[in-house]
């Protein structure tokens, strides 16, 4: 009976090792790059246990979609389209801004997006960043959602 118990224990440990080292490893993967144009889709603001969620509504009717852009040269561009005097959709002149990305930390310097963010999701299709700020003793977390612009 003792040898059966030992055999069962060995069999159980073997089963655990085989299933935990399973064949779901498809080789090395390349993390998605932040270097791209991203269209804002939604913002969620959380404070005092409540959330306010709003879809991005800044696009000028009939104009191209607004976007932010991270370049390989660490420039950050916030491009907003508007109708000019001839009723032509024209991109705004972006304020000069830069960014640095280290692991999941994203720091944008300049522009209305300026601040230190945590990247909570970065795929080839989606970017989600969060920033926490405390003003007058109230901590607010702002989560911004973006979709990659197809080029």
């Amino acid at each position: 009976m003792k040898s059966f118990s030992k055999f069962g224990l060995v069999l159980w440990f073997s089963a655990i090792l085989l299933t935990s080292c399973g064949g779901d490893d498809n080789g090395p993967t390349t993390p998605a790059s932040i270097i791209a144009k991203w269209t804002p889709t939604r913002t969620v603001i959380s404070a005092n246990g409540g959330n306010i969620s709003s879809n991005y509504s800044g696009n000028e009717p009939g104009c191209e979609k607004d976007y932010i852009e991270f370049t390989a040269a660490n420039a950050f561009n916030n491009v907003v389209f508007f109708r000019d005097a001839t009723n032509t959709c024209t991109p705004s002149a972006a304020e000069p801004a830069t960014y640095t990305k280290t692991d999941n930390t994203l720091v944008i310097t300049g522009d209305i997006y300026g601040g230190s963010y945590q990247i909570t999701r970065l795929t080839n299709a989606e970017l989600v960043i969060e920033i926490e700020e405390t003003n007058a003793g109230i901590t607010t977390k702002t989560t911004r959602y973006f979709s990659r612009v197809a080029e």
Side-chain angles (χ1 to χ4, degrees), residues 1 6 9 21 25 27 31-32 34 36-38 41-42 51 53 64-65 68 76-77 92 127 140-142 144 148:
M1 186 72 160
K6 288 180 185 176
L9 190 58
C21 297
D25 184 11
I34 198 167
K37 293 178 182 176
W38 301 90
T41 57
R42 181 169 54 117
N51 292 329
S53 178
E64 296 290 323
K65 288 193 172 197
I68 61 170
F76 174 80
N77 300 310
S92 63
L127 169 65
T140 303
K141 179 172 75 172
T142 303
R144 299 179 187 270
R148 185 183 294 260

Side-chain angles (χ1 to χ4, degrees), residues 42-111:
R42 181 169 54 117
T43 300
V44 177
I45 300 172
S46 304
N48 292 334
N51 292 329
I52 298 172
S53 178
S54 61
N55 291 331
Y56 183 74
S57 61
N59 292 320
E60 181 87 19
C63 285
E64 296 290 323
K65 288 193 172 197
D66 301 340
Y67 64 87
I68 61 170
E69 177 183 28
F70 297 95
T71 71
N74 290 81
F76 174 80
N77 300 310
N78 180 13
V79 180
V80 177
F81 286 85
F82 66 97
R83 291 194 178 276
D84 65 12
T86 63
N87 207 26
T88 303
C89 291
T90 307
S92 63
E95 293 180 32
T98 60
Y99 77 95
T100 57
K101 179 186 172 296
T102 307
D103 298 322
N104 288 330
T105 301
L106 173 66
V107 178
I108 299 172
T109 305
D111 193 67

Side-chain angles (χ1 to χ4, degrees), residues 126-147:
E126 184 180 30
L127 169 65
V128 180
I129 58 176
E130 292 182 349
I131 188 169
E132 278 195 18
E133 299 172 299
T134 302
N135 292 311
I138 298 173
T139 300
T140 303
K141 179 172 75 172
T142 303
T143 306
R144 299 179 187 270
Y145 295 80
F146 302 88
S147 294

